[in-house]
Amino acid sequence: MKQLLSAFLILGACVHLSTAKHVDGMVGLKGHLPRQRDIERFMKSQVQASNFTTSESLKRLRANRAADIKDSFLHAWRAYKKYAYGADEINPLTLEAVTTRNGWGATLIDSLDTIHIMGLEDEFREATDKVRAINFDKNDGEPSKVFETNIRYIGGLISAYELSNDKVFLRQATALADIMLEAFDTPTGIPWQMWDVQTGTGSSETGPSTLNNLAEIGTYQLEFFRLSQLTQDPVYHKAAQRVYDVVLDRNVPKKGSVYSVPGLYPIFIDIKSGKFISGKPNLGGGSDSFYEYLIKTWALSGYQLQRSLDMWKESFRAIKKYIVSRGSDKRMYMGIGDDEGLDSISDTFTCFFPGTLALASRLLNDSESMDLAHELLLSSYNTFARTPTHIGPENFGFLPDGDDDSDLTLAQRSEIKKYGFYLDRPYYLMRPEVIESIFYFYRITGDEKYADWIWEIWQGIKANCAVEGGFAGLRDVRLGREGGLIGKQESFVFAETFKYLYLAFTEPNVISLDDYVFSTEGHPFRRSLSFNGTF
């Protein structure tokens, strides 16, 4: 199957300009290759600050805070190990093992690099033995969500390999990627949303349709690029880049159509036609990591994948014009919009964007985008800081500055007056995006206030979410623990939330942003692995 797919990728339609001469994605949107002088200039960009405070008292404080977070990670890990080791998740309230990601051990694999970074040698060694025994040809009988399999399993295994140099992780990552490549064998090369590894059939999350979404077709490029580098096999990179080929070739922006603004992509796409179907553009769930991977894959490639940079720049111009809006509280928010108007609703997923934009601003030496990133960070942080628990909701809405509030309910108006936003879905599932963006700002600016913001959030999480089985979700962040807990602890709690919390208080050279690029699941990939345009 891998050989057949490789041939399909080479011979298929919609291949851009000069893929016979250049690795897929190196040719930009205007038909140009990256210029050597530009690459050399980007290479000189420094992402992390060099002015971190180094007083002994602050070092002790930071070390104590890192230790506190590490202890809580171990509390959650030991509960998982005791009651659900090798399972995908543990229900932190009932202490039951839960199968959500094919039964391969999502929490086990997603946690590997966090365990390694924290220096937990015994735990890492035991987990390695467990990973060695996994057979990805067998699962729990349910279809795999291809996107989640990539970011949690393949990404986690690649990062564990890069940190430890243990080849078992690369072997397992390659074995699973080879299975998942079958999901890309569609008329367009855009992957199925769901894939049954035992029957070899694809589907969508809602049934037999050929629907997929923007994030779930555009969040392979980072992991697959790195896997092609490590294996010296271009098939993974080709599969991921072909998605861009089809998106660009089969969708021409046209005013009044579902895709009306260049670079501002609708959410839903049909994998057979390769055309967008519906879904107003936004930076939230279903779209978020598509945009994130444009700038990050470009950086990971040593600035060689020109098309990714061009797409990022095109998208960012549209985002500034149609997605970003100032609210009635004078803060800058991210909504849902295009040239037909803005819907002033958002979710916690969008809060990844200030951090990614700050990273892009340093990579590109663009101070203007850093200013916007900071404004967006303030509104994202505010969704946590203003609630009684210092924890933010899943979804929230805002009132655009100057707009009439007559369409809002009385409760929404009251919350906008109280918080600056209203809570649309008030629950919290330990998602990391706000913490992630604050972490980026801390590492990029060296300003200790951002570390303090993270500590404040962590105090709210500990007080309201800690339970015997780890950390549970909250039903209502306005009420905290008293409003009820949710028996859900996804693997990203270990992979992302704890990692960003911990790294905010380690020495800044631990997983430096000048040395690593984080995947959307928080897995660090080395930037030092050179790429000369071939695999």
Side-chain angles (χ1 to χ4, degrees):
M1 176 57 71
K2 182 177 172 183
Q3 289 76 15
L4 288 173
L5 181 62
S6 182
F8 167 75
L9 290 167
I10 293 171
L11 298 173
C14 305
V15 177
H16 269 277
L17 297 174
S18 49
T19 51
K21 296 181 180 179
H22 307 293
V23 165
D24 302 63
M26 287 185 66
V27 178
L29 293 181
K30 296 182 179 179
H32 62 293
L33 288 166
R35 297 181 298 185
Q36 186 59 37
R37 67 174 181 270
D38 289 338
I39 293 172
E40 291 172 359
R41 175 167 54 86
F42 293 135
M43 287 290 187
K44 296 176 182 178
S45 299
Q46 182 175 331
V47 176
Q48 285 210 166
S50 56
N51 60 333
F52 291 94
T53 305
T54 57
S55 70
E56 289 303 316
S57 60
L58 184 58
K59 283 185 176 181
R60 286 193 297 273
L61 174 64
R62 293 174 54 77
N64 288 336
R65 289 179 169 182
D68 181 77
I69 293 163
K70 182 177 177 178
D71 286 345
S72 289
F73 175 90
L74 277 169
H75 161 72
W77 180 257
R78 286 166 180 161
Y80 168 70
K81 185 179 175 184
K82 181 177 180 179
Y83 298 107
Y85 202 39
D88 291 334
E89 296 173 11
I90 178 177
N91 182 317
L93 300 182
T94 66
L95 307 180
E96 295 173 307
V98 183
T99 299
T100 55
R101 307 289 173 197
N102 305 103
W104 294 322
T107 293
L108 176 76
I109 291 175
D110 228 359
S111 305
L112 287 167
D113 51 12
T114 306
I115 293 170
H116 192 279
I117 290 166
M118 289 183 174
L120 301 172
E121 295 179 2
D122 291 342
E123 287 79 3
F124 190 79
R125 185 172 55 255
E126 292 168 354
T128 301
D129 291 339
K130 200 80 172 172
V131 169
R132 186 177 285 109
I134 296 173
N135 180 0
F136 291 116
D137 288 316
K138 298 180 179 179
N139 68 357
D140 66 338
E142 295 295 323
S144 305
K145 198 165 193 184
V146 186
F147 156 81
E148 298 287 3
T149 300
N150 177 57
I151 65 172
R152 300 188 195 223
Y153 286 108
I154 297 174
L157 289 164
I158 292 172
S159 182
Y161 168 68
E162 292 201 346
L163 291 173
S164 70
N165 292 316
D166 191 326
K167 291 186 178 180
V168 66
F169 300 120
L170 180 57
R171 285 197 300 271
Q172 288 288 56
T174 306
L176 182 54
D178 287 347
I179 294 170
M180 288 298 111
L181 275 179
E182 297 180 18
F184 288 75
D185 188 9
T186 66
T188 59
I190 294 178
W192 288 97
Q193 187 176 38
M194 310 293 292
W195 186 254
D196 191 318
V197 302
Q198 300 196 103
T199 64
T201 55
S203 60
S204 79
E205 194 169 19
T206 55
S209 78
T210 54
L211 196 70
N212 208 335
N213 66 54
L214 191 65
E216 295 189 37
I217 68 170
T219 313
Y220 300 94
Q221 289 69 20
L222 195 76
E223 292 86 354
F224 278 26
F225 172 80
R226 177 47 47 90
L227 192 57
S228 281
Q229 280 188 296
L230 294 172
T231 62
Q232 299 184 327
D233 187 341
V235 68
Y236 312 105
H237 176 71
K238 282 180 175 290
Q241 289 295 313
R242 184 170 168 78
V243 171
Y244 291 162
D245 295 342
V246 175
V247 165
L248 294 171
D249 287 349
R250 300 199 180 183
N251 297 278
V252 178
K254 181 181 179 182
K255 192 172 179 61
S257 70
V258 66
Y259 177 37
S260 58
V261 179
L264 206 55
Y265 304 104
I267 298 176
F268 298 108
I269 192 168
D270 180 75
I271 69 170
K272 283 190 175 180
S273 69
K275 293 188 176 183
F276 289 115
I277 299 171
S278 63
K280 204 167 183 178
N282 65 82
L283 294 171
S287 298
D288 45 4
S289 48
F290 179 95
Y291 299 103
E292 177 185 4
Y293 271 27
L294 295 176
I295 193 69
K296 288 186 173 181
T297 306
W298 170 71
L300 194 69
S301 75
Y303 315 108
Q304 301 261 13
L305 295 179
Q306 183 66 39
R307 180 170 63 177
S308 293
L309 176 60
D310 291 349
M311 290 174 70
W312 165 265
K313 289 181 174 179
E314 183 177 67
S315 293
F316 182 49
R317 286 193 294 270
I319 287 166
K320 285 192 293 184
K321 187 171 183 179
Y322 296 109
I323 298 294
V324 173
S325 176
R326 195 169 296 281
S328 58
D329 62 352
K330 308 306 178 184
R331 293 183 174 88
M332 294 292 283
Y333 289 89
M334 296 163 281
I336 301 172
D338 55 21
D339 56 356
E340 294 187 350
L342 179 79
D343 298 329
S344 53
I345 193 74
S346 194
D347 62 29
T348 193
F349 294 102
T350 66
C351 297
F352 87 93
F353 192 69
T356 296
L357 183 56
L359 172 66
S361 76
R362 295 305 292 259
L363 292 170
L364 297 168
N365 194 24
D366 178 6
S367 59
E368 183 181 343
S369 61
M370 185 65 178
D371 293 339
L372 176 58
H374 184 255
E375 286 207 77
L376 294 173
L377 180 73
L378 293 178
S379 67
S380 298
Y381 169 59
N382 190 59
T383 63
F384 276 60
R386 293 297 299 274
T387 71
T389 57
H390 295 295
I391 298 173
E394 181 84 353
N395 284 39
F396 55 92
F398 62 96
L399 180 67
D401 195 22
D403 275 16
D404 188 292
D405 67 357
S406 59
D407 289 337
L408 300 178
T409 67
L410 186 62
Q412 288 171 340
R413 291 180 209 166
S414 175
E415 287 191 335
I416 284 178
K417 187 176 293 185
K418 184 176 183 180
Y419 302 131
F421 59 92
Y422 66 87
L423 287 78
D424 184 52
R425 295 179 183 174
Y427 58 86
Y428 176 63
L429 294 174
M430 292 287 296
R431 296 200 191 277
E433 285 79 9
V434 170
I435 298 167
E436 172 188 349
S437 278
I438 301 171
F439 161 76
Y440 273 99
F441 268 81
Y442 173 64
R443 286 291 187 89
I444 287 171
T445 67
D447 191 333
E448 288 295 327
K449 77 176 180 184
Y450 297 118
D452 290 338
W453 287 4
I454 289 176
W455 185 251
E456 178 186 81
I457 292 170
W458 170 236
Q459 295 309 296
I461 290 173
K462 272 208 310 181
N464 290 281
C465 301
V467 293
E468 181 184 353
F471 287 80
L474 293 180
R475 296 193 179 279
D476 194 322
V477 298
R478 296 164 295 196
L479 303 175
R481 191 181 290 268
E482 293 181 2
L485 298 173
I486 301 171
K488 186 71 173 171
Q489 183 179 247
E490 288 213 41
S491 64
F492 62 67
V493 176
F494 297 85
E496 299 181 78
T497 308
F498 270 112
K499 186 181 287 109
Y500 291 124
L501 285 166
Y502 181 71
L503 288 175
F505 300 104
T506 61
E507 290 298 312
N509 63 349
V510 177
I511 313 295
S512 166
L513 296 178
D514 288 311
D515 300 328
Y516 291 87
V517 171
F518 285 94
S519 75
T520 195
E521 189 74 2
H523 297 305
F525 296 165
R526 293 185 187 276
R527 293 178 60 190
S528 59
L529 189 59
S530 63
F531 176 61
N532 63 4
T534 60
F535 295 115

